[in-house]
Amino acid sequence: MQTSDAAVRPASRPSIIEIAEAAGVSPATVSRAFNQPGLLKPQTLARITEIAQRHGFRPSRVGRSLRSGSTRTLGVMLPTLANPVFAECFEGAEQCARAAGYSVMLTATGYDPDRESAALQNLIDHQVEGVILTVADAARSALPRNLQSAGMPYVLAYNESSAHPYASVANRRAASDMVSHLAGLGHRRIALLTGPLTASDRARRRLDGARAQARRLGLEPVAHWPLPSHTAADAERLQALLQAQPAPTALFCSNDLLATAVISALRTLGYGVPRDISVCGFDGMAFGALMHPPLTTVRQPNEDIGRAACANLLAQIAGRAPAATDLLPHGILTGGTVAAVRPAPTSNRKSRS
């Protein structure tokens, strides 16, 4: 049975001329109602708005962009949305942009530094007016410098930089605070687990902060255990690392997804957390509080990071303020995956006289 074109073709959107005729005004007046409503009398604006809503009319964003030379679109480049950290950051940025009348175009790089340039160029090709971006390494990446040279407003998210505007927590200080927390529970042998450091300068800063604080507190040097992925644990590699003597009493993972993967792998290998070994993360993701036991982690305000980056970007675009840096507060969420170090067993035998 054939379906007629009329049955599948969506109803055409009313034109600005049809809305003008229905309201008894000129098309120019309808245009002003949506672009410069303050120029119209309240009753005229109300009549046009009511008729437009009744007919399902919305002004063409494309046409408006062509006339004004402004797309009112921001670009966001993140490593992934599979990690809730970046999904929350995107939500904060999108909410801020939407409140200001902007749309957001998103692209993801999959933690691959080689994909970053193409991903950013794709955003620029779509004529975004500014960019929020997370790169593998802000000190080595040419992208922020290229944006700066081109006069394109931009803000880094999570990357800390002395040369570029950013929104982040202080990663070294946050990792230092977690090491202090572990030391307060008697942990002197700590290992920090990360994915490839070439794909995350955040992980490298956390490692630097953890090692520096261990030195200050007189702990044993923090071991670095690199894993193939930032968010997945390799049980065989983990087993090999744990066989090193003396083994660490606490594993500090560079993000919460990695921490949950490590805990799962440890249980597969027969280790109890925190009975046999303590595990903590970095991010403060909501799912950590639902784990059993709840995850001990560094909390960072991801939505606020996205919101701050977007507000900074919008201020640059509007010419209200120069590029700025927002260093947001962090905290330690104490869950049940970290416990005090148990004293070594002692002999109950009495000495003979």
Side-chain angles (χ1 to χ4, degrees):
M1 179 179 176
Q2 292 185 337
T3 305
S4 68
D5 290 343
V8 296
R9 185 172 58 243
S12 59
R13 187 167 64 175
S15 69
I16 193 171
I17 295 175
E18 292 170 323
I19 299 302
E21 290 176 349
V25 297
S26 69
T29 301
V30 176
S31 178
R32 280 192 290 273
F34 290 98
N35 296 303
Q36 297 174 295
L39 298 180
L40 300 185
K41 295 179 180 178
Q43 58 269 32
T44 303
L45 178 61
R47 183 167 75 254
I48 293 172
T49 301
E50 188 276 327
I51 291 172
Q53 290 176 345
R54 180 155 31 95
H55 287 78
F57 172 80
R58 291 179 63 82
S60 170
R61 203 178 173 95
V62 173
R64 184 187 299 173
S65 298
L66 291 172
R67 289 189 298 272
S68 67
S70 168
T71 62
R72 296 192 72 80
T73 302
L74 307 179
V76 176
M77 188 182 87
L78 298 170
T80 179
L81 288 188
N83 188 335
V85 167
F86 298 113
E88 287 190 0
C89 175
F90 175 75
E91 284 194 12
E94 195 278 334
Q95 290 167 6
C96 176
R98 179 157 31 92
Y102 279 75
S103 295
V104 173
M105 183 177 180
L106 172 70
T107 186
T109 60
Y111 289 103
D112 184 351
D114 294 334
R115 289 171 54 183
E116 291 177 353
S117 181
L120 180 60
Q121 188 60 53
N122 184 52
L123 293 175
I124 294 172
D125 288 346
H126 282 81
Q127 298 184 334
V128 297
E129 297 186 32
V131 183
I132 298 167
L133 68 162
T134 301
V135 296
D137 189 328
R140 293 183 172 88
S141 175
L143 302 189
R145 294 193 300 272
N146 293 344
L147 289 169
Q148 190 176 53
S149 298
M152 168 76 77
Y154 68 97
V155 180
L156 293 168
Y158 297 102
N159 302 110
E160 296 173 71
S161 173
S162 59
H164 306 288
Y166 68 85
S168 177
V169 297
N171 285 282
R172 289 192 182 98
R173 192 183 313 150
S176 170
D177 288 348
M178 178 57 82
V179 168
S180 294
H181 175 68
L182 295 172
L185 294 171
H187 293 279
R188 297 187 59 81
R189 296 190 305 276
I190 301 167
L192 194 138
L193 284 65
T194 73
L197 293 183
T198 55
S200 174
D201 59 3
R202 289 82 65 203
R204 188 169 63 250
R205 285 176 176 270
R206 293 165 194 174
L207 175 61
D208 291 344
R211 283 178 163 169
Q213 186 66 354
R215 286 194 298 271
R216 283 191 289 268
L217 297 176
L219 309 180
E220 295 188 20
V222 171
H224 176 220
W225 291 1
L227 297 174
S229 168
H230 281 283
T231 57
D234 183 318
E236 290 186 6
R237 179 163 175 75
L238 201 56
Q239 176 70 81
L241 292 168
L242 288 167
Q243 287 174 345
Q245 294 298 325
T249 60
L251 302 181
F252 183 5
C253 300
S254 62
N255 64 75
D256 284 356
L257 280 183
L258 183 57
T260 58
V262 165
I263 290 171
S264 177
L266 287 172
R267 287 174 176 163
T268 299
L269 295 170
Y271 291 87
V273 177
R275 184 192 67 224
D276 300 317
I277 191 165
S278 291
V279 179
C280 58
F282 194 116
D283 285 332
M285 300 310 305
F287 67 76
L290 303 178
M291 293 170 57
H292 183 71
L295 182 66
T296 295
T297 183
V298 175
R299 182 196 66 83
Q300 58 178 346
N302 297 297
E303 280 197 25
D304 289 344
I305 287 174
R307 196 172 291 113
C310 184
N312 186 337
L313 188 64
L314 290 171
Q316 292 182 55
I317 292 170
R320 295 193 304 268
T325 287
D326 291 289
L327 202 58
L328 284 81
H330 65 272
I332 303 295
L333 295 179
T334 55
T337 58
V338 168
V341 175
R342 291 182 295 178
T346 57
S347 172
N348 291 324
R349 291 179 297 174
K350 294 181 180 180
S351 60
R352 295 180 181 179
S353 55

